[in-house]
Amino acid sequence: MKAIRLDLVPESGLIRPDPEAATTYEITAHRPEFLLLGSSALEIGLYRLTLETPDAALFEDASVVLADCSPGSERMPIRLSIERTADRLHAYFVLPPGCGILRLAPVLSTESVQIGEATLKRMSTTRRRLARAASVLGGRARSPKRLAADLSLAGQILRRSGWPGLRRALGEMLIPSRVIHSQPTMEMRLFARQVAQRNREDLAVATASASPAASASLSVVVPIYHPPVEWLEALLASFAAQSDPNFELVLVFDGTQPELVQAAETACEGIARKTFVTLDENRGVSAATNAGIRRASGDYVVVIDHDDRVDPSFVAAFRYASRALPADIYFADEAVTDAEMKAVRAIATRPRFDIRYYLSHPYIVHPIFIRRTIALSAGLLDETMSISHDVDFALRCIARSHNVVQIPMVLYYWRTHDSSLGHAKAEQVLTNTRGAIRRYLEATTDWEGFEVRDGANFNEYDVRPPVPEAKVAIVIPTKNRKDLLSACLASLKERAAQNRTAADIVVIDHESDDADTVAFLKAEAEAGRITVMSHEGPWNFSAINNAAVAALRAHGTYSHLVFMNNDIELVTADWLDRLLSQFAYPDVGIVGCCLQYPDGRVQHAGVVVGLVGPADHAHRFEPMFALATGRRHPSHLASLVSTRDYSAVTAALMVVKAELFEAVGGFDEKLGVGFNDTDLCMRIGALGYRSTYVGPVVATHHESVTRGGSPHIEDTALFLERYGAIVKGGDECYGLMMDWSQTIATTTLDRQKEFALRETQLAISRSPCRGVRASKPNSGNPIENDKTPDEFKANG
């Protein structure tokens, strides 16, 4: 088709300061919108939107086209693949069927932009792919070193993931997936302005219904040692601009620094309560921080780096939280900037507090507000440590706390630069953090023989609790497909010797009529390798597994049940021991692991309620390995490779405490196909037990091959009836500023869920682990099982 000329009509977030300059717009919102007049009644297919603009470099990869696809529905965001030249921007996208009016919603790293003529053209998919492949291959062929590195990496991927994985990696290199984007950088001033406005609005709504109780007092401690004076002045200016002036500022100069003292005195003129402390010599950041905490008078203390900045609502948000939901520790989200604080590199939007996650990767850095009496009882910071002292101190405070509350809004701007200690002493970070984790576990558990190993990437840790004694049954439903089942059973057999825990394998045959499968089941059973049970009737995942568990009672008492699909192939050798070890934590009820597609992409890394509809798998479709390094891809805040809690994990491969499975009546048979595993986890969660994902343990999943991709409209309706409040409000195990419209872990300023404080209660008694006490389920009403024990037995 010929290119269609479009009229750009600014609809929101845009103004023209000069009507004569028709192509110049000022940006007043993070994601403004242009109506694309002339784009209606288009056929499905690949399109190229071309804009004449000298500012093409300012359009971020997170830009989208919004499509009106059906009357009354929300606009569908369509991801763009962007190419830039000196005077044009080309944005490629695939238009799904049934879409009408289109709007361009760009993310711009600027406060003004020039846009001229806009055209839209339908493209040939094959020609586009060939042109892209030729361009990429030509560029790599001109660099012998790059080509040699590519060949070496291709060999590694082939050995690790076979031909499917290599094909996928080559495809991503030649034609990158249109849904996988690096986190965009954003212009700092525009970002900070939008965040500040959103924070003010959220707090205005929250405080209107907050408790009339008094707020806690806050002391802000800033240890200072020779930062650039303009960086310190910027920090102090951000405190002078606080919307709530009720705080104490304690500046601790680590050694004599007269120029900085003078600059600080000038910058702090607008701050009512301030204290200056000067140490007689440079004693290090830990000693300076301790001096500030001892001098502080507030109920809580928060330590701020001397080169960072805070949001204008920093104090107001803390004071609101302390009034609305008292806690021993509070923390908030932050943005990571470049050294000059001109660009935001990442948004560290976090889930609620999770001790297993924190031990795997200290995902909370700034800001942390700690009750001052707890900080003092913990012994303050270890002055012998020059790095990772903050993690060591935080863990000692956590061990003494009753609860931790998250304030899920960006309140802190973390300036990153090569001269920071974390960059300069990377190896010491690993050593010191491993030591801090060991000391925490030694102080809070009665474990014997646990391990703390380095994880897949920098500042990631693999904590391995002791494996408890267990009697395990593995339940595998199947129908025909001997090829899948035999591969599944072979992977179990091959790894049996690497696991201390033995397991009985029970295969539930759902009306197999393939002669090879029937013969295979008979032979395996006669050899004593498996027990075969038959199940008849319509496919109902819940009923099939419930019947198997009921029948297992005749074979003795099992402490743990493994539910496994017949299309699972294990990758990790000691998979069962690694999953069972998580039950050393007394609050863990269900454990799952990382599942990958055969082509090397992630299939499951935990379940998030409210993600892409009712619920979906976190990180689905992300690469398992980083193409550049060959190591595990960590994803957002190392979530993909960590051991951490989610609201649910998939029953394609999960381990459940048998007593808890019985306590809630097993899977709900009203959910025959979809969401039965998520519902089980939610009901067990309502009893106070977590669903834990173990990122280092991996298996391959040929998803839903046996039963096919059957729709489950009734299951979806029932799930939404039960958990609609969580779907709407947002799962507390996921960052509030994540993009909830896709499974790829991406952050966004266009927040899609409502602000609310998130609480995690902690157990502080040592029996046998002072970890998380999950006495508060995820937001929403807990669902009581509606089956009596007699009804459950009857179903069996």
Side-chain angles (χ1 to χ4, degrees), residues 41-54:
L42 298 174
E43 299 178 357
I44 65 172
L46 174 67
Y47 286 84
R48 182 184 68 196
L49 172 65
T50 299
L51 304 179
E52 291 187 356
T53 172

Side-chain angles (χ1 to χ4, degrees), residues 341-644:
M341 281 203 172
K342 292 183 177 180
V344 173
R345 291 176 171 173
I347 307 173
T349 179
R350 301 169 171 122
R352 68 184 177 191
F353 180 74
D354 172 355
I355 186 61
R356 281 172 283 278
Y357 193 2
Y358 193 79
L359 295 176
S360 293
H361 174 66
Y363 69 102
I364 305 167
V365 184
H366 318 97
I368 302 177
F369 308 82
I370 300 174
R371 194 182 295 275
R372 184 168 173 270
T373 54
I374 287 179
L376 293 171
S377 70
L380 299 180
L381 283 78
D382 185 342
E383 298 185 10
T384 67
M385 298 178 70
S386 62
I387 199 72
S388 298
H389 47 278
D390 52 345
V391 176
D392 174 75
F393 175 57
L395 285 172
R396 285 186 279 115
C397 291
I398 289 166
R400 291 163 172 80
S401 299
H402 290 84
N403 63 337
V404 178
V405 167
Q406 180 194 12
I407 308 170
M409 54 174 55
V410 172
L411 296 177
Y412 195 98
Y413 292 92
W414 180 12
R415 189 194 304 264
T416 56
H417 48 93
D418 292 339
S419 60
S420 65
L421 282 174
H423 289 91
K425 300 183 178 181
E427 189 60 39
Q428 196 172 343
V429 167
L430 299 176
T431 301
N432 287 3
T433 305
R434 284 195 307 268
I437 293 170
R438 287 193 188 95
R439 288 190 294 273
Y440 170 82
L441 292 172
E442 288 168 351
T444 60
T445 76
D446 292 325
W447 293 348
E448 295 181 1
F450 70 87
E451 294 182 82
V452 181
R453 302 185 183 184
D454 287 337
N457 303 284
F458 173 70
N459 209 21
E460 297 168 4
Y461 307 93
D462 184 4
V463 177
R464 302 192 179 191
V467 181
E469 294 296 327
K471 184 176 182 182
V472 179
I474 301 175
V475 179
I476 307 174
T478 193
K479 180 174 183 178
N480 296 322
R481 294 306 300 264
K482 173 199 168 187
D483 56 331
L484 292 173
L485 180 61
S486 61
C488 175
L489 295 178
S491 72
L492 281 166
K493 180 181 178 181
E494 290 166 3
R495 287 155 183 80
Q498 280 75 47
N499 290 274
R500 192 192 75 184
T501 309
D504 297 331
I505 302 173
V506 180
V507 176
I508 315 302
D509 180 21
H510 180 240
E511 301 178 346
S512 291
D513 52 15
D514 172 69
D516 287 345
T517 301
V518 172
F520 175 74
L521 289 171
K522 181 180 179 181
E524 290 292 298
E526 289 177 349
R529 288 187 284 269
I530 64 173
T531 297
V532 178
M533 299 180 182
S534 297
H535 186 88
E536 297 180 354
W539 174 270
N540 183 310
F541 179 89
S542 298
I544 291 171
N545 282 288
N546 285 348
V549 173
L552 281 173
R553 295 192 191 101
H555 295 260
T557 302
Y558 290 94
S559 61
H560 296 80
L561 303 169
V562 177
F563 296 100
M564 180 181 291
N565 282 14
N566 67 342
D567 53 357
I568 289 289
E569 291 184 62
L570 300 165
V571 174
T572 303
D574 57 347
W575 70 278
L576 183 55
D577 284 350
R578 298 281 295 280
L579 298 185
L580 285 173
S581 70
Q582 295 304 312
F583 292 102
Y585 293 101
D587 64 308
V588 172
I590 300 179
V591 180
C593 67
C594 185
L595 302 182
Q596 64 178 357
Y597 289 109
D599 65 4
R601 292 177 299 162
V602 176
Q603 190 270 335
H604 164 269
V607 176
V608 177
V609 178
L611 183 64
V612 195
D616 209 331
H617 294 175
H619 304 289
R620 186 199 288 265
F621 304 130
E622 291 186 30
M624 282 287 292
F625 293 87
L627 192 61
T629 64
R631 296 180 179 179
R632 283 287 303 275
H633 168 52
S635 196
H636 179 71
L637 299 180
S639 177
L640 182 53
V641 294
S642 293
T643 295
R644 53 158 302 187

Side-chain angles (χ1 to χ4, degrees), residues 38-69:
S39 63
S40 59
L42 298 174
E43 299 178 357
I44 65 172
L46 174 67
Y47 286 84
R48 182 184 68 196
L49 172 65
T50 299
L51 304 179
E52 291 187 356
T53 172
D55 299 324
L58 304 177
F59 285 73
E60 300 289 354
D61 289 341
S63 303
V64 299
V65 161
L66 300 172
D68 294 335
C69 291

